[in-house]
Structure formats: structure tokens, C-alpha cells
Amino acid sequence: MTTELTPAAPAQGDTVSLTIAPDVTFDQWVDVGRPILNAAAYSPWYIGDWLLYAEQRWATNETGDEITSERARIRRAVADVANVDLESLRAYRWVAGNIAPARRRAGVSWSHHQQVAALAPEVADPLLEQAETEGWSMRELRQAVKQVETLNVDEAAEDEAPKPLRIAMRIVADEADRD
């Protein structure tokens, strides 16, 4: 069954194509693209959160221990349904698991979050905030992460602050020096 494309419904898609009416306005064309681009941008988060839910719900026993066979079954099913390779799926799950929804920033990409996912929240969150407010590219954020990872925190060994907090304090001090 084919539906006629009209100004009210200027596009129609299926699993392999998108057909746009020949007489759409530029604004209608933008409106057609908005949900497509949103879905593409959000899909790593959605897939990661979707997988985490399934693993927490069906791949753990009463004591919270992982059921490895169930986790593998769930991951194969998600990879198949989402049409995502297992390596990408692992990345989506890892980032979603390391950066809780409340810490995620809409003003930077999922890939920006991936760059800081291994860092402690007190280090990662200020970097994400700065990347968002200053419009950092992936390269700029990657450079900032490398600086954090190579800081010599041992010079403050007498300091009682935990290592991630010392790193965060050093980042703030470095930032103040740049101004």
C-alpha cells in the first residue's frame, strides 16, 4: 500500500529509503530531517540504555550476580535487532553504564561522552561541561583528557584528597592559569 505524499505528509520512509515529495518547501524538508538526525544522534544512548535495562532485568540473579549465558543471549539479540556489530554495542553499553543519564550533556555528542567515560565523575563532568560551554571539538576534548591522564598527581602526595579530586583540583588550577 502506497500513500500519496502531500504537504501535510511530505515524506515517507521504509527500511531502505526515504521518499520526499517533489514540492516540499525548505522548511518542510528541514522538519522531515529533524527526527532522522535526532534518532541518529540519540541512538547510541538509546541502544546502550536499552541493553543495560535488559542485562539488569534478565541477566542477573536474585543476589545481583551476572548470568553470563543470559547476558550473551541478550547482547546477540540486541545486536541483531539494532543491526549493530558487537564491538559498537559494547561501546554503547559501556558509555551508558559509566555515565548515568543525569550526568549526560545534550550539548555535546555521544562520542564526547565516550572520551571521558573512563574518568571519575568529578573529573569527567567538568570536562564535559567545558566542552559544551566552549564548543570543544572531539580533538580538543581528547587533548584535555590526555592532559588529565598524564598529570603527575604524585607531586601532591602529602595531600589527603583522593586521587580523582586532586586531578580535578589540578584541572581547575590549570584552567585559572590559562585565563
Side-chain angles (χ1 to χ4, degrees), residues 39 86 140 153:
L86 286 172
E140 290 169 312
V153 294

Side-chain angles (χ1 to χ4, degrees), residues 19-165:
T19 305
I20 302 173
D23 58 347
V24 299
T25 66
F26 182 80
D27 289 338
Q28 289 172 316
W29 173 79
V30 169
D31 289 342
V32 165
R34 215 179 292 298
I36 296 166
L37 297 175
N38 285 341
Y42 302 153
S43 69
W45 289 122
Y46 289 173
I47 293 169
D49 289 339
W50 186 44
L51 175 57
L52 280 170
Y53 174 87
E55 287 181 354
Q56 291 164 356
R57 174 105 189 255
W58 296 295
T60 55
N61 61 23
E62 305 79 39
T63 60
D65 296 326
E66 180 183 295
I67 305 169
T68 307
S69 61
E70 281 303 300
R71 190 187 88 192
R73 184 180 69 80
I74 289 167
R75 287 188 179 187
R76 282 191 306 273
V78 170
D80 185 47
V81 170
N83 196 25
V84 174
D85 62 271
L86 286 172
E87 185 177 329
S88 296
L89 185 62
R90 280 187 202 96
Y92 298 165
R93 188 239 182 263
W94 183 74
V95 174
N98 283 338
I99 302 183
R103 295 180 45 225
R104 299 174 189 170
R105 302 192 75 87
V108 292
S109 70
W110 177 88
S111 296
H112 281 79
H113 290 81
Q114 183 181 28
Q115 290 296 313
V116 301
L119 300 174
E122 54 273 5
V123 177
D125 293 354
L127 287 172
L128 285 172
E129 181 178 358
Q130 191 169 4
E132 183 178 44
T133 58
E134 295 184 20
W136 281 358
S137 66
M138 282 293 302
R139 185 172 152 261
E140 290 169 312
L141 179 57
R142 196 172 8 255
Q143 186 177 17
V145 169
K146 282 181 184 176
Q147 286 177 339
V148 168
E149 291 173 341
T150 59
L151 286 177
N152 182 4
V153 294
D154 292 336
E155 65 193 40
E158 303 83 53
D159 191 348
E160 295 296 319
K163 184 176 178 179
L165 185 55

